[in-house]
Structure formats: C-alpha cells, structure tokens
Amino acid sequence: MNIPWRLYPFVRVTIAFMLGILLERFAPDLLIYFLPLSLIVLFFLVYKDYFTNKNDMSYPAYAGVMIIIFFFFFGYIRSALNIPTLDNKHYSHFAEKYDSGIGIIQEIPIIRTSLRTEIELTHLCKDNNCIEVNQKAIIYFKKEDQKAINYKPGDKIYFNSKLTLVNKTTNPFAFDFHAYLWNRGITHQTYVWHNFNHFLIDQNNLGFLNQIALNARGAFLNVFNKYLKDPDQNAIASAMILGYRNMVSEDMYKAFSDSGSVHILAVSGMHLGILAFILVRIFDKIKSKNKIVIHIKIIAIIFLLWFFALITGAAPAIIRAAIMFTFILYGKYTKKLYNSYNILAFCSILMLAYDPYLLFQASFQFSFLAMLSLSYFQERISLWYIPENKVLAGIWEYVTAALAAQILVVPFTIYFFHKFPVYFIISGVVSVWLSTIALYAGLLVMLLEFILPSINVVIVPVFKLFLNLFIYSVKWVKALPLASIDGLTLNNFEFFISAVFLISFMFYWHEKNFKYLLATLLSSLIFIFSLTYRLHIANHQKFALVYDVNKSSIIDFFDGRNVFYFQLDSLKENQLNFINYNNRIFHFTKTIKNIDYAENFRSDRILKNENIIQFKNVNFAFIFDEKYKCMDYSKINYFFILSNAPIDECSKFKSNSTFILDKSNSIENVNDWKNFALKHKINFIDIRKTGSYKIEI
Amino acid sequence: MKLKVNPNLTFTKDERKGLIFIIALITISLIVVFLINRFDKPEKLALEELHPEILQKIDSSKINNKQQKPNDQNSYKGNERPNHNFRFDPNVISKDSLKLLNIDDKTISILLKYRSKGRIHSKEQFYKIYGMEKYKNRIDSLILITEKVENKKPNSFQKNNWDSLISSNKNNYPKNKSLENYRSKDSSAFYPNKKYNTDDSGISIVTIKYIKLNETDSFELETVKGLGLKLSSRIIKYRDKLGGFYEVEQLEEVYGLRQETYLSINHLMIIDKSKIKKIKINHADYQILSSHPYIGKHKATVLLRYKENHGDYKDIEDVRKTVVIPDKALEKLIHYLDFTPS
C-alpha cells in the first residue's frame, strides 16, 4: 500500500512507541533485556550520525529501522518505569502501618452514592508520627457530609482513616474499577464515614498556575450563577464552557449521551478549536509584517488557549487540543509547512512520554481516534457533494464533520458503553451549531462582566436563548424514537475484527485496490459469524451465577436469554450497572424476571417452591429464613447461604452437595459454616475467596 | 553491503537529529525523576512539626468521635480507651462512667459487687477494693464521697406523710409502679431525679422527676442513676430507630441494658403513645423499612415485593400473609404501622 510514510516520521515512531507500551502491559518482565538493547541501538545511532564517514549510502535505511526499534523499546521502558509503586515515597508502602493522613484535594467531590474525590497525599500519620508520601488516592465521604461537600481543589485536609487496597472485581464483564484507577496511578482508597474524622487544615495548596486557574474558574462560575437562575441552564453552561460538570443532573447527562452530544457537555478539543478560530479572527485584524508583532500575536493566542485549557480542568482531550493548536498556529503564522498527522502523532508521543498509562484511558483514546478519523475522512466525505449555496455548504460541513468523527469511534463506543446514538448526525449539526453560538455568547458574557457589565443586559438574553434552544434540541433528539440503541456488545475478538474492518476499509478507500475490499468484506463476514455464534450459544445457555457483591446477594439464573434473578436487598440502579448489567447484556438477555421470595412460580425450566428452586435437574435451596429449619434437603445440590444464616444442625443435608456463602455473611459466620461443611463432607464455596461463582447446568 | 529497505522506513538527517534530541530530552527528564524518587527517602516527622495548629483539632475530633459513637464497642478495646477525668462518687458512679475513667472491667465488676453489699465511706475503704490501688495516683483527687445524712431518711412518721402525698398525687404517677418499691432502694445518693426539700419541721419531701421517654434527650436520661453516657444515647438511638416506645418494657431490648438496670429505672419512665412516629407502610421505601429494628433488610425486601405483587397493605393481616414476620414481632410492629393507602 502506498501510504507516503516518508512524510510522517512522527506517526511511525509513535506507533512503535505505543506498541512498546502495549507490550509492557501484557509482558511486564522484559525490562532487563530491553534496557541494554535500547542502549546499544542508541549508541549505534549517535555514533554513526556524528562520528563516522558520512558518505555511507546504506546508512539511512539501517538508521530508519533502528530508530523505530528504539522507540518500541523506549515505549516499553517508559511504561515499565511508570508503575506507581516503584516510587520510594509512594503511599502504598506505608498504608498498612499508618491510620490517618494529610492530603490535598484535587477535584470537587463527585456526588454518587457517596462523595468521592481524588486526594494527593502528602503525609501519612499514626498517633503523632507522620511520614512523607506522595501520589494520589481516592477518598470517600458520606453523601450527607456537609463539611466534605464544600471541599475545593487545593484544600489541605486531615483525615482519620486507614487506606485500603482497591480490590479487583471478579464479576464477569463488570467495569474494572481497579484497572481504571491503576491507569491513573491510584492503588488505594479510604472511607471517612464520620464528619468529625476529617477537617480542613489549609487552603490554596495547588501549584501556582492551577491555583490561578481555579480562582478564575470560580470567578467565571459566579458570573453564570448571577445571570442564569434556571438550574439546568446554569449547569449546562458551567459544564460546556468551564468544564464544571458537578451541577449536571443524571437525567440531563443521560439525555446528552443518548443523543450523541456528550462531547459538547465535556469541554473537548472542539471547544478549544472554536475558541482558537475566534481568537485567530480577532488577532488577524492586526495587520503587520513585523516579526516581533507576529510573535506577540502567536504568544497571546497560545497563552489564552492554554489558560482556557487550565481553567476547564486540563483533561487529556484538552491538553491534546492545546498542544495541537500550539503547533498549528505556530506553523500558520511562521508560514512553515505542517501536517496534521505528524502533529497529532507528536502530541500523543509527548503525552505518552509524560504518562504512558494514558494509552489505556478512554478519554485519551476517544480524543485521538476522533481527531484521526476527522482528519482522514472529512476531506474525503466532503467530496461526495459540493453545494453551491452558502447555507447548504455550512450545513454540509457540520454533517461531514459529525460523520467523519464517528467512523473510527463507533467500535470503541460500543465496546465501552454498549450503546450507539442513532441520530448523531442531527445532533452533530443542530446541537453543535447551537452550542457553538451559545459558547461564543457565554465567553462574551464572561469577558464583558469584567470590562463593561452594563452591555451584558443585551447579551445575556441572547446567551439564554441559544442555551435553551441547545438544551431543547438535545432533549428533542433524545425523545425521537430509537434515539439510542442499548445493550450492544462486542467481545475482544469482535472488537479486533471491527478494527481490521475499519483499517482495510480506509485502505480500500485510499487505493481502490480490490484486495482491501476483499479484506473488508471478509472481516465483516467473520464479524457476523462470531456474533451469530455467540447468539446461538446464548439461546442454549443454562447456568446460575452468584455475584460478588459487598454485604449483599444477587444470584442470576440464565435460562437461554431469560434471566431470573434473586436479590437480597434492593440496590440502586447505578450500583447494579457496575455489578451485573454488562454480564446480562453480554449474554444477550431478553427478559429479566425477579424471583419473588414470598411467592412460588414456575416457568419452562425453572420451578420455585418455598425456599427451593429447581432448574432443569439441579436443585438449589436458599438458607436464610428461620421458617425453613429442620428440613430434609437430601435432594438439593446447591445451598445459597445468605445474610448470616445461623447453622442449621437439624436439617438433613446430602453429602457432596455444595454450600455457597456470599458476602452477605460475616467472616465468622462463613467460618462456622465451613467447619460445619467439613464435618458433614459437604463442598464449600466462599465468594470472598473465589469471587463470583458460576454453576453450569 | 547493500540492503534493500523500503524507502518509507528511512528518516532524513534532520528528522534523525530531531528524534535523537527528543529521545535525549525525555530520557534525561526520566532519569532525573527516577533517581529523585529512588534515592529520596521519605522523611519522618512529628505531627506538631508539620502543622502545630492541627493537634488541637485532632484532639477535639477524637473527643467528638467518642461522644458520637457510643455504640462502637471496638473503640474502647484494650489500652485505646479514652482517658477522661471528672470528679465522682464511688457510691453512685455508673459502670459506663467508670469505663470512661479508664478503669479495667474486672476492677469495675469487683467495685459494683462491693457496693451492692454496703456503702463506701472513705477513700481508704475504696482503695481496699482489689485492683483499685493501681489507679490511686490518677483518680485520688477526683474521688468525692458524700456522706449519708441520717436525719433526712424518712422515718415511720414521715412514711405516713409520704403515703398521703402519694394518694393526693396518684393520678400523676404511672400505673402499677409501686413507689414503696422505689423507696426501699438506696435513695441517699445524690442525683437530680429526686430532690430533697427540707421544710421547717425538718421533714424531707421527695419529689420525683419522671422522664417522658418519647420526648427526652440523652442529657436528661444521663441524669438517671444507672444510665451512663453510652446507655442513654443508645436508648435515644434505639427510640429514634423505632419511632418511639409504646411500652416501657421495650427498654429491655436496648443493647447492653441489663435487667437490674432496667428494674431500677423503669418506674421513672412515662410513655406518651401519641408521640410514636408511624411508618406509612404503603408509602415507605426500602430505606425506611429496612432501618426499622423490627423489620430489617431482608424482611423489608419481602414486604416491598409483596406490595408490588398484591397492591397496598390494608391491615395487619396483609402483613401477616407475607410470612416473613413472626407473630411475636408482628404484635410489636402493629404499633408502628400506618395503613394509609398510597
């Protein structure tokens, strides 16, 4: 294939660098080989380039391969050195011995079932002795804790509670919180359940720049608070313009994600692009060929962009955009040639060299894929139709951008979020256009408030109007029939195949070569085959699954695509999302029915009578109810022992049956049952040790 | 030697220079950071060196901790007990208060046994109690022994006087509570529930302060002999969980309240059933139901499920049909349920 790789030196080395990071994740023990090898390669490069005869014509070919190999090693080494616990001062070395600590709050507490925020630990203490530590941890407070809810980034607090390891989840397909935190360098968490166990020591402890950005954001948020009385308007404006998402309600957030416009809500590269566009327009009014003036112009624009990036919380997408625009603007004003793929690759190598684990973070992946997709496909799609009408041309540009940005992102959306926003083109045109105007108006309102507040009387109504229209458009798209297809799944293999499909499709488009079309078609065929096979398996699956839930019990009985579940306590929906939602959709669940403990029922293959469930030819019994003591359980294969059920000495158990004790039992109770089981030659499963447990039927 | 390599793999000289420069930059910064982290040993410091002002805050937070978590048995294990100092009379001090003084459980039980046989008249006598000697240095200054005032003890003449007093005020007292029974106990010690008013004739009249159990707070309860800081707040906590008491006997359900204590305090308590907060069972959600001591988590789940399938509960019989609640508990629960339809 004739991609002019010569033109993209950075793309080549970045791909090698990323592969190195990936390899480290799957084979972490190769550092001792790679370190000397990379040194030899580097020595060869430097020696050849600077100290030998320069007329060796074959040298560039060697060097090209060597450099790519070096970057592969380099990615590996960088990733291997990034393991957070390598640091002598990392708190994980001391978390066992110390039971309180001091740290700096990094973000505004997020309200979920409890309050959660990141804290940069500075010291761990016990009694009166403290030890210096570093790195971030997660801290939880009670939802009702009024003291904690008012913490701001930069607040130094003392907390009196022990750090505990974040456990790996054992539920199949569940969101891996452990890996998510590990990728952000976090290994421990702490729960502070009483408001007298933590207090503020000091304020404004962030770095100089961050503190300024934070104060600026506070001032701008106050402007919105002043003018926007409607909570939804205020929340959306704060999120969209200042990256402050705490006020956005869950319903609102869902509306945005279902309509495919969540990228507007999170301040992203698009916002920075819009800002850069208007800044360039303004600064281009100053016409001068003086080099100093031009440089001042560049510096001013870049400074403003970076300041905006800092204010909005400096997410990976924003940093990526800020680096990109820095180079693009520099290239534009100094009239140097630049290439967007090279700049994109250079950005990613800079960011990955700073933190290689970014490669595994969804925000980084989405940002780069969307950008890559946009720069590759938009140009090509826009050639399909060239409108003469100016209005049509404007609309066409938005359509092509929305379409182009989605192409490479789709498999990722389905893989991570299991849904697909159907009307992304509509929201990509209407909502993006409305939000752009709202964004300009909002920026103007913020600016004028500090220069000429009296003009805001005119601007604010316009701002409100477009904000309202924007919110309305999002809600409208969400309310359209079939706005969001939920419950989509891809397994790892299908994800890989869809990547093959997209890449071969890109190649085909580029070269119009038949073999790429063949690859495209073949990969889609494999994809469909894999999906059908999984569906076939799902239609005939029969198993029970005991989930690993803290202090509670959930048991799913999968009978084909129907799920019958037993649940001890009613857990909240967002908690369940982390436990069994993914697993159910991966098994193509069609209907979900609750097994009512107080009621008997029967379906095709499942029969429930009192505390006994018969599933095909396997019998289960629930043991937690005092009503069913002294029973004859000689035909039961599995016993679910739940919520600290007392030992039942007088019932008759079959030997070789199995006790399953989940986390709704205390450790002491589990031990009692274990001894009982050993005495009676009954098998024993402790969910605390084994994790979630599957019983094939 | 000539090597055939795709020209797309080569880098120009300028590109090579640039890349090597970037490599050098990243490598140097990496090495510096790595070395700093590797050889910079964490410093150990005392807390007051770090933030001298926070020690005070930590202390106050620890005291709060103990006040607000009276239920937490674990926090008083072994040597971790708080060390409170306050003046006390060994004849009246409660077990909980003794614990607050950081006296070990064994010595406390010996003291209580000793006290049940007779009064402690002097400090010397107090230290004769086995195990008490070792606390002498710390608590010596805190002991305050109030002597019995003999002439204040009601004699036979005064007894008649008493009875007339009772008959005149009978309606104010709870039924079935014999004041005789109460009077036979040691009433000499000072506590605010009983007030000795001595009139001119030298006859003392005892007025008893009754406690409205459904309206009181832990401070008032603490003034009752036998109820310490922990027990009284436990009672209040249990009451709040229940929604109120409907009979004094329910006090026996409070964790840690022994029968002797209960017998010595039950006559002091009055109950106003109208103050009971009832649960609207057809409106209540899982949180409300499960937090009620007579219901609990899994019964709450079953109750809610039953409602989902069968509609509103009309009376207690509907609740009985759910089977999960035993009849005994149901008899108690009936006082707390409100069957307003949803």
Side-chain angles (χ1 to χ4, degrees), chain B residues 86-337:
Chain B
F86 48 83
R87 306 196 77 172
F88 67 97
D89 182 346
N91 286 309
V92 290
I93 185 168
S94 71
K95 193 178 168 184
D96 292 322
S97 309
L98 280 166
K99 278 188 180 173
L100 281 180
L101 276 170
N102 215 351
I103 290 170
D104 65 282
D105 294 336
K106 204 176 167 189
T107 314
I108 291 174
S109 64
I110 295 170
L111 168 67
L112 293 179
K113 225 177 217 175
Y114 187 93
R115 211 165 66 181
S116 67
K117 287 174 187 158
R119 276 187 66 81
I120 299 163
H121 295 285
S122 64
K123 282 187 185 180
E124 289 70 37
Q125 199 186 350
F126 180 66
Y127 290 125
K128 271 181 194 167
I129 296 169
Y130 181 77
M132 204 54 89
E133 187 73 31
K134 58 177 178 268
Y135 298 110
K136 191 172 179 179
N137 289 340
R138 190 156 57 79
I139 61 174
D140 195 49
S141 57
L142 305 172
I143 300 169
L144 185 84
I145 297 176
T146 47
E147 278 303 315
K148 235 175 192 174
V149 186
E150 286 302 323
N151 67 354
K152 285 192 178 175
K153 193 175 181 179
N155 53 26
S156 59
F157 161 67
Q158 288 156 345
K159 193 183 173 197
N160 295 335
N161 206 325
W162 262 68
D163 290 341
S164 64
L165 185 89
I166 294 163
S167 57
S168 65
N169 283 335
K170 216 163 197 168
N171 295 337
N172 293 341
Y173 298 135
K175 283 170 194 168
N176 303 331
K177 304 288 178 249
S178 144
L179 201 64
E180 283 290 327
N181 178 20
Y182 171 62
R183 214 158 28 120
S184 68
K185 298 197 174 192
D186 174 27
S187 58
S188 58
F190 168 80
Y191 51 97
N193 297 70
K194 272 182 276 176
K195 281 183 184 154
Y196 294 88
N197 295 334
T198 312
D199 62 9
D200 293 341
S201 62
I203 302 164
S204 65
I205 303 160
V206 178
T207 52
I208 299 173
K209 198 177 142 206
Y210 285 90
I211 287 179
K212 294 176 178 168
L213 204 46
N214 278 345
E215 288 145 74
T216 184
D217 54 15
S218 62
F219 290 109
E220 196 185 12
L221 272 177
E222 237 178 278
T223 62
V224 179
K225 184 187 177 185
L227 294 183
L229 181 78
K230 273 166 91 175
L231 265 180
S232 47
S233 60
R234 253 184 229 163
I235 291 174
I236 297 299
K237 222 172 180 178
Y238 189 65
R239 181 197 69 193
D240 294 346
K241 270 189 179 175
L242 279 173
F245 294 108
Y246 69 89
E247 58 176 13
V248 185
E249 270 81 344
Q250 281 178 292
L251 277 180
E252 283 181 291
E253 295 163 15
V254 175
Y255 177 75
L257 198 132
R258 288 181 309 168
Q259 201 168 15
E260 307 96 277
T261 325
Y262 167 70
L263 287 174
S264 68
I265 62 166
N266 62 358
H267 53 274
L268 292 172
M269 305 296 168
I270 310 175
I271 277 178
D272 184 353
K273 280 195 192 178
S274 66
K275 300 281 185 215
I276 294 176
K277 281 180 207 143
K278 291 196 172 188
I279 300 176
K280 289 185 175 169
I281 188 167
N282 291 322
H283 298 256
D285 59 8
Y286 175 75
Q287 273 289 326
I288 297 175
L289 284 176
S290 62
S291 62
H292 197 278
Y294 292 157
I295 300 179
K297 280 185 181 175
H298 103 253
K299 284 174 189 162
T301 321
V302 178
L303 283 175
L304 285 175
R305 296 259 170 79
Y306 187 88
K307 201 188 84 185
E308 269 172 36
N309 292 321
H310 299 269
D312 284 357
Y313 293 97
K314 289 182 199 75
D315 52 12
I316 195 74
E317 284 312 308
D318 281 353
V319 182
R320 201 188 298 278
K321 280 179 197 164
T322 62
V323 195
V324 275
I325 301 173
D327 288 358
K328 262 189 188 173
L330 212 58
E331 273 166 35
K332 290 179 183 173
L333 197 58
I334 193 165
H335 299 275
Y336 297 104
L337 295 182

Side-chain angles (χ1 to χ4, degrees), chain B residues 57-91:
Chain B
K57 277 190 178 176
I58 290 173
D59 282 344
S60 69
S61 92
K62 273 184 184 157
I63 290 165
N64 272 333
N65 195 340
K66 262 100 217 184
Q67 279 174 355
Q68 297 195 23
K69 272 205 299 188
N71 275 344
D72 195 347
Q73 294 280 319
N74 299 334
S75 61
Y76 296 108
K77 265 184 192 162
N79 297 328
E80 286 168 23
R81 276 184 190 167
N83 214 344
H84 290 271
N85 289 337
F86 48 83
R87 306 196 77 172
F88 67 97
D89 182 346
N91 286 309

Side-chain angles (χ1 to χ4, degrees), chain A residues 88 128 130 568-569 596 627, chain B residues 38 45 47 286 301 309 323:
Chain A
N88 263 351
N128 213 343
C130 295
L568 201 59
D569 309 297
D596 191 335
K627 214 173 107 188
Chain B
R38 202 78 201 127
L45 277 170
L47 198 54
Y286 175 75
T301 321
N309 292 321
V323 195

